[in-house]
Amino acid sequence: MSDAVRPRDRRLHQGWQFREVYQSGKSFRGRLTSVIKLPRKDNGRVAYVASRKVGPAVHRNRAKRLLRESFRHLTPSVRDRAYWRIWIAKSACALATLAEVSAEMEDLLSREPT
């Protein structure tokens, strides 16, 4: 079990990682979220972002929780693809249901090549 990759190890943490994805990645926009993804040769990483435009801290935190939970429910073959992804919550995301966010996330991920 110690060889298993913890979810925290699969996140984008450092500023240079975010800059690389923002500058070189390809973005896809939806009604609730946007995703910027950058293909990588190593393992995939993910980050969740909600700006102040989403609303107060309660709404931003809820939007990020919905994004994390939707991503967690994806099949491992889709979730573990070698992409660095930044999920960006829009203001409508904070008021949406988990089912709506999951459906949009699957739609946005279907646009990336397998």
Side-chain angles (χ1 to χ4, degrees):
M1 188 80 171
S2 63
D3 294 335
V5 176
R6 296 183 309 270
R8 192 139 181 88
D9 294 338
R10 301 296 295 271
R11 297 221 181 122
L12 296 171
H13 288 287
Q14 300 177 349
W16 69 268
Q17 295 171 330
F18 281 87
R19 275 191 300 278
E20 189 171 339
V21 175
Y22 278 124
Q23 290 172 356
S24 304
K26 187 165 174 63
S27 66
F28 299 94
R29 290 170 181 78
R31 187 178 67 83
L32 304 172
T33 65
S34 296
V35 64
I36 304 172
K37 40 192 161 185
L38 179 67
R40 300 291 293 188
K41 292 182 182 177
D42 55 353
N43 59 2
R45 291 179 178 258
V46 67
Y48 309 97
V49 177
S51 73
R52 288 189 189 167
K53 291 180 183 178
V54 174
V58 173
H59 292 181
R60 295 193 304 268
N61 291 336
R62 182 175 193 277
K64 289 189 285 187
R65 262 197 322 273
L66 287 171
L67 291 174
R68 276 193 304 268
E69 191 64 18
S70 297
F71 193 74
R72 191 177 73 81
H73 284 300
L74 294 172
T75 60
S77 62
V78 173
R79 189 176 58 221
D80 296 337
R81 288 183 188 156
Y83 282 91
W84 281 6
R85 298 181 186 102
I86 298 176
W87 290 97
I88 304 168
K90 295 185 178 179
S91 57
C93 184
L95 305 174
T97 64
L98 179 62
E100 292 171 334
V101 175
S102 295
E104 181 162 303
M105 187 174 279
E106 288 176 7
D107 177 53
L108 291 175
L109 286 175
S110 69
R111 299 179 194 179
E112 72 185 22
T114 55

